[in-house]
Amino acid sequence: MAKQSGTTKAKETIKSTKKEFSKGDMAVYPAHGVGCIESIESQEINGDTMNFYMMKIVENGMTIMIPTSNVESVGLREVIPETEVPQVYEVMQKKAQASDNQTWNRRYREYMDKIKTGSIYDVAEVFRDLFQLKLEKDLSFGERKLLDTAQNLLVQELSMAKDVDEAHMIKEIENLFN
């Protein structure tokens, strides 16, 4: 019974924040991808009661506890609407910025920083740049992993936004580069 009142109290508190999510909402957590808000729970930490979103990442089933007061600082956001998908495609179709004068580890750090922003447009830039770089030369191990990460994050969110399966979305993205 106490748990129910804590959950109800959590929902009342969340309504006062700028970004609010409800149980069952799909959201994007930077660098982890799309997840489902499974519950909103209250827990006592150091004598203070804090509210958390319990989010299960779709790709790997990992559960993340996100303090409701930190939603904006961690970058938790809604999945983009389908109307924004063409803008993401535009980003992917632009010519990559020349980064030949940078070492692979500097590029890696810059790309990782972009992925951590949680912006699908930044992730699309990373994917585009690495995909085009891969056509010119071999990628380092770290860059190959980053390319896979960017592709997975894009595919997850775009397939969710367009309500299509991930295999269809991968083909659609490949067609952008043909």
Side-chain angles (χ1 to χ4, degrees), residues 46-59:
N46 293 335
D48 292 331
T49 301
M50 295 182 67
N51 300 317
F52 293 90
Y53 290 120
M54 303 303 287
M55 180 178 183
K56 188 170 194 171
I57 301 298
V58 172
E59 182 183 35

Side-chain angles (χ1 to χ4, degrees), residues 1-153:
M1 200 68 150
K3 196 166 199 164
Q4 282 183 332
S5 64
T7 304
T8 306
K9 185 178 178 184
K11 287 181 181 176
E12 292 170 4
T13 306
I14 291 163
K15 289 180 181 174
S16 65
T17 62
K18 290 182 183 178
K19 291 185 181 182
E20 61 182 76
F21 295 93
S22 302
K23 182 179 177 183
D25 285 352
M26 300 304 280
V28 179
Y29 190 86
H32 290 282
V34 177
C36 179
I37 304 295
E38 298 225 312
S39 63
I40 302 165
E41 298 180 6
S42 295
Q43 292 190 10
E44 191 171 314
I45 299 174
N46 293 335
D48 292 331
T49 301
M50 295 182 67
N51 300 317
F52 293 90
Y53 290 120
M54 303 303 287
M55 180 178 183
K56 188 170 194 171
I57 301 298
V58 172
E59 182 183 35
N60 56 19
M62 176 174 53
T63 300
I64 300 174
M65 288 178 64
I66 305 158
T68 58
S69 59
N70 290 0
V71 166
E72 289 191 26
S73 64
V74 299
L76 187 68
R77 63 174 176 80
E78 295 176 333
V79 174
I80 63 166
E82 187 174 1
T83 55
E84 284 187 39
V85 172
Q87 294 157 310
V88 175
Y89 287 173
E90 282 179 32
V91 170
M92 287 193 287
Q93 290 177 310
K94 287 182 183 171
K95 183 100 173 104
Q97 297 172 341
S99 56
D100 290 336
N101 57 347
Q102 291 182 331
T103 61
W104 71 266
N105 54 349
R106 182 173 293 225
R107 280 194 309 266
Y108 179 87
R109 281 194 307 269
E110 287 180 8
Y111 292 148
M112 200 61 197
D113 288 344
K114 282 186 176 186
I115 285 176
K116 287 178 183 176
T117 67
S119 164
I120 191 160
Y121 298 104
D122 287 348
V123 173
E125 283 179 20
V126 170
F127 177 77
R128 172 202 67 206
D129 292 354
L130 287 171
F131 188 86
Q132 290 178 9
L133 188 62
K134 180 179 146 187
L135 299 175
E136 298 169 19
K137 62 183 182 181
D138 288 339
L139 298 179
S140 71
F141 176 77
E143 287 174 319
R144 286 194 310 267
K145 295 282 290 173
L146 217 47
L147 177 61
D148 289 344
T149 299
Q151 180 177 353
N152 288 340
L153 293 171

